[in-house]
Each structure stands twice: as structure tokens, then as C-alpha cells.
Amino acid sequence: MSHSLLPPQAAADRWLSRLCLYLPLSALLAFFGIPMLSILWHSLLDDQTGVFGLSNYLSLMNAPGIWRAMLNSIILGVATTLVTLFLGFIVAYGLECTAMPAKRFVSFATSLPVLAPSLVLGLGLIFLLGRNGIIGNLLGVRLDIYGFWGLLIANVLYALPQAILIIRVTLRHSDARQYEAANVLGASDWRQFVDITLPGVRYGILSAAFVVFTITITDFGNAIVIGGDFSVLATEIYSQVSGQMKFGMGAVVGILLLLPAAASIWIERAASRRHKMIGTYSAIVRVPQPLKRRDLPFYLATMAIALMIVTVIATVVIASMIRLWPYRLDLTLRHYNIDLADGYAPLWTSIWISALAAIIGTALLFLLTFGIHRQPGKSANIAALLSALPVGVPGLVLGLSYVFTFNTADMPWGILYGSAILVALCNYFHYHTQGYTTMMMGMRNVPNALEDATSVLGGGVIRILRDVYLPAMRVTLISVALFLFMRSMVTLSAVIFLVTPALPLGAVTVMRLDEAGFTSQAAAFSTCIMGIVAIMSLILHLLTGKRK
């Protein structure tokens, strides 16, 4: 039957289904696809003459600073990955495969870095181990945490929650029957660990490795706060663009940063697919039995790691209430009386921009996944492919691409530059892939029988959305919205190039206060951000707990 012969209701439903797919797909192309192409285009434009060519890439031969930053990034990424995997496996194994006490505290403590901007960990290490840090003063030595070792510690703490989460999920899927068979055959605990646990978790470890490596080489917050003279690609982009106004070279460095991140994500995805193919869906969950000689060492090790994270973050909170760290330790709230950087205006701006990112992002993701579900085909495949790509794009690269795309007076979309909605869209597309994955999982869990029943009763697309998908996916929608809000509150790299004097943001203000030497006020501002994100995280926990 031709479209012109369809009943009016059926024709309207067909167009609404297409709109649900094409509207978010158009936004994905406009606010992710085109900006990514603009990075490539500007990397080929000479900064001095504007001539199209390879001059910027040829200039790399005479830019030892960029190559040094790239080598430093790779060395730091590899070192951070190795240390994080070692510590992450200890914590994950202790939580999933032992009967040690205090599991809830360890799980909570090791997830704390997610609640804070990455530079908070750098600030905490400065308060503890800096030249005027409290530990150096207690020991009577002058420590210097700036540079490679400070970045290594900060990045390990920042990436550790991600590694623990991935390895825990992998360990949770181990089959108890394999261990029961090994016990019957008389295999020792060590033999079971080597022959069953390690082979079963290898793809999870590989996935965690590439996630940690990507987080490390793309992180900007810790590098700008505690990196010192140890330059990395993230700070090199910032220097080229904001310091030297070399936008073409900034684009080239952005591509250099994009390549290892994209390669890591691709390999991680391949590892995840391989793991799913060899996994078993009928696995029986293993319940660890108490074993003192195993549980006690893991308890001590995991508690040490958890307390180290708590100490660093708690130091920032405490330092925000100390009169003069570390010389006058009497408590005061005067650092919360912030009279610089527009006071608390950046915090309120961050809150409503994060709320805007959550609302827009959740609506677009819901429409996109519904459109893919209702309209399978080439367009849906393109949308699914594009939705998987943003996770491999560093925030600095995405933010710089927005400058190239929207900072123009010749095109109508130039009116978006410097606006809150553009910053909100940048935050949303920075975390688009994670939100898309969660929303698609929720969409697949909606029973098809409900949709079929509504259609039989004469309900169209609007009725199906209102009466079937919205109620069934209520928890998923709120979870995605809270996730986008929390990540938008703490992100720094994606928005560092988009802030203006009229549009200051909280995480950027923390960086500005620290650069100006007002570290206690930076700690106070960070504490406010962490408090807001912690409240949202608690709401999310209660929500998902009720559903469970």
C-alpha cells in the first residue's frame, strides 16, 4: 500500500516514528559529527596565512615540546594503567570473591572520586604532600608532589572507580560450578585462582586497562593543577589555543590526543564483544565462604586503598574550613565567603546548565532509542554507530571543535556561541554514549506485549509513548537525567574553551582560584560542588535501590 493510501492515523504514526529518529539524529550530526569534521579541517589551515595544506603537520617536526608532551602522556598513561589495574583488581576481588568485612564502606569510599572534578584529587595531594603540605610540615621535610609522581597518584585515584566497576562486573559473572568442580578434583585455592579466576577475568581487565588509559591521557584537571613542568597533550592543547592562540596547531594536537583514545575505545569494545561471546548466561553466582587467611589480607589492603581516597578528598573539605593551611589550623568558614570570580554565580550557572543538559539529553536519548526501536534500517544503523563514537572523543577535543564550528559570525548557528544551551549540549554529547547505552538497555526491557496491546486497542505512537514507554522506563529516564546532571557539574575539559565572563562555570572557577593562589577558596568551591553531586548521587542510589 502506498503512503498516500494509508489511513490518516497510520500515516501520522509513520511520520511521528520517523521524527523520533531523525530529530535526535540531526542533533547528533549537527553537534557531534560536524564539529569533529571541523577539527580535521582546521588542522589543515595554516595559522598565519590561512592556506589549506599540511603546514601544521609539518611544523610538528620542529615542535619538540609537542612530542615531549605526547611521550609524557603515553608514559604516564601506561604507568597509571598498570598501577590502577593492580589496585583495582585487589579491591574488586576483595568485594566480590572474599567474605571480608566492611565491604559497603570500601565500595562507597572507592567511588568517591566520581563525585568530584578531577582536579580535586590534585588539590588534596597538594594540601597533603605539597611544598607546604601538612605531611611535609609534620616530618620537617619539603616535599615536591608536582610533576610525574603527583600526576600518577592523582590519576590513579581518579581512574580507580572505573577499573573497580568493570572488574567487579566481570568477577560477578564467574560460574560457581567451576569452583565446585575444582574443589571435587582437589585443586588448591591458588590453583583455582590461576586456572579459573584469571582466565575468566582477562577480558574485563583488558577493558579496564583501555578505559583507564583513555581517562589518563585525556584528563586535564589534574594535569593543570599538579602537573608542574611535566607537560602532557591535554595541557599542550590548552597552551596552544589559550596561551599562544595557535588554533591550527591546537587542532593537530587534538587529533594526536584523539588517536590513542579512539584506538583504546575500539580495542576495549572488541574485547567486550569477545567476552560476551564466550560468556555463559546460565552462570550460577558464586557466594564466597569465610576464609581468614584470605579475607584478612584483602581487608587490610582494601581498607588502606579506601582510606587513602577518603583522606585525599576529606583533606580538601577540611582545608576549606582551616584558617591558614597548614600553619593556623583553627576552624573558620571565611573561605566560603567567596568574593572573587563572581562569588557563587558560577555554581548556580553550573547547576542550571547541568539541569538543561540533563533535560535536553534525556529527551533526545529517549526519542533516539525509541526511533531506532521503531524504525530499524539504514538510518537507525547510522544513529547507533554515531552514538558509540563520542565516548572516544576527549573533552578538550570536543570543546575545541565547538569553538571552530560555532564561533562564527558568517553562519546562523554562530548565535549559539557563548550561550548556556551550547555548553549544555557540549556536556550532553560528551557523555552521550554512556547515556545511550543505558537508555537502550531500558528500551529493550519494555515488554513488547504492552506495545502490541496498545496498538490493538487503537493507540497510536503518542499513546504508546505516553502509556507504555514513559511509565515502564521512568526509573531509566530519571537515572540517565541524574547521570548527565552529575557529570555536567564536575566536567572541566569539555567546557574550558566555552566559558566566557558572562557564563562562568563551577569547575572552571575552581581551576581559576587555584591558579590565582586562593587554594583554600578553591577547596571551598570544590566542596560545594561535591555536596551537590553527592545529593544527586544519593537520590540515584535510593531510586535504583527501590527498583532492585
Side-chain angles (χ1 to χ4, degrees), residues 446-524:
V446 177
N448 291 329
L450 293 178
E451 182 177 349
D452 295 339
T454 306
S455 298
V456 169
L457 293 173
V461 171
I462 295 178
R463 190 77 177 268
I464 290 172
L465 283 171
R466 187 190 67 190
D467 296 343
V468 177
Y469 282 93
L470 283 176
M473 294 182 62
R474 182 177 66 255
V475 173
T476 301
L477 290 168
I478 298 175
S479 299
V480 170
L482 289 175
F483 166 77
L484 291 174
F485 178 88
M486 291 188 293
R487 298 316 301 166
S488 297
M489 281 294 298
V490 301
T491 188
L492 174 64
S493 59
V495 298
I496 188 64
F497 294 127
L498 299 179
V499 293
T500 64
L503 196 71
L505 295 176
V508 179
T509 299
V510 175
M511 186 189 80
R512 302 296 187 208
L513 288 169
D514 178 69
E515 287 178 337
F518 299 101
T519 52
S520 294
Q521 290 195 351

Side-chain angles (χ1 to χ4, degrees), residues 95-99 103 286-290 294-295:
L95 292 173
E96 296 295 332
C97 302
T98 74
K103 285 187 177 183
R286 182 189 179 197
V287 179
Q289 300 301 315
R294 176 202 62 196
D295 297 343

Side-chain angles (χ1 to χ4, degrees), residues 139-184:
L139 298 177
V141 296
R142 190 173 177 83
L143 301 174
D144 188 0
I145 195 63
Y146 296 93
F148 173 80
W149 293 107
L151 267 178
L152 177 64
I153 299 172
N155 284 332
V156 166
L157 297 180
Y158 183 56
L160 194 57
Q162 304 279 357
I164 292 172
L165 176 64
I166 295 171
I167 299 174
R168 281 189 70 179
V169 169
T170 309
L171 287 171
R172 200 174 297 148
H173 290 164
S174 59
D175 197 336
R177 290 171 295 189
Q178 294 178 323
Y179 293 93
E180 293 172 359
N183 286 328
V184 171

Side-chain angles (χ1 to χ4, degrees), residues 401-447:
S401 72
Y402 271 46
V403 175
F404 292 149
T405 305
F406 298 101
N407 187 16
T408 174
D410 300 328
M411 300 295 181
W413 52 78
I415 61 173
L416 291 175
Y417 190 74
S419 66
I421 191 170
L422 185 65
V423 178
L425 287 168
C426 182
N427 283 334
Y428 157 55
F429 283 106
H430 187 199
Y431 298 103
H432 171 89
T433 303
Q434 296 92 322
Y436 167 80
T437 303
T438 304
M439 193 72 74
M440 186 59 78
M441 290 174 61
M443 187 70 62
R444 289 169 179 164
N445 289 333
V446 177

Side-chain angles (χ1 to χ4, degrees), residues 25-45:
L25 177 57
S26 300
L28 191 57
L29 290 169
F31 294 99
F32 177 74
I34 293 176
M36 285 298 98
L37 293 176
S38 72
I39 282 282
L40 178 61
W41 173 263
H42 280 82
S43 72
L44 297 171
L45 292 179

Side-chain angles (χ1 to χ4, degrees), residues 106-121:
V106 172
S107 179
F108 165 75
T110 52
S111 65
L112 283 177
V114 176
L115 306 180
S118 62
L119 52 80
V120 167
L121 298 168

Side-chain angles (χ1 to χ4, degrees), residues 295-340:
D295 297 343
L296 182 59
F298 273 97
Y299 169 72
L300 295 175
T302 55
M303 283 297 290
I305 296 170
L307 290 175
M308 179 171 59
I309 295 174
V310 171
T311 300
V312 173
I313 294 181
T315 299
V316 176
V317 178
I318 295 171
S320 71
M321 296 182 285
I322 297 298
R323 185 170 297 277
L324 183 62
W325 185 276
Y327 305 107
R328 295 182 57 184
L329 300 181
D330 51 311
L331 297 179
T332 178
L333 294 178
R334 70 187 186 97
H335 300 304
Y336 285 85
N337 185 22
I338 298 175
D339 52 5
L340 299 174

Side-chain angles (χ1 to χ4, degrees), residues 77 81 208-219 257 260-265 268 391-394:
T81 301
F210 288 109
V211 169
V212 171
F213 181 80
T214 302
I215 290 174
T216 301
I217 66 170
T218 59
D219 177 65
L257 186 61
S264 297
I265 294 300
E268 186 271 333
V391 72
V393 178

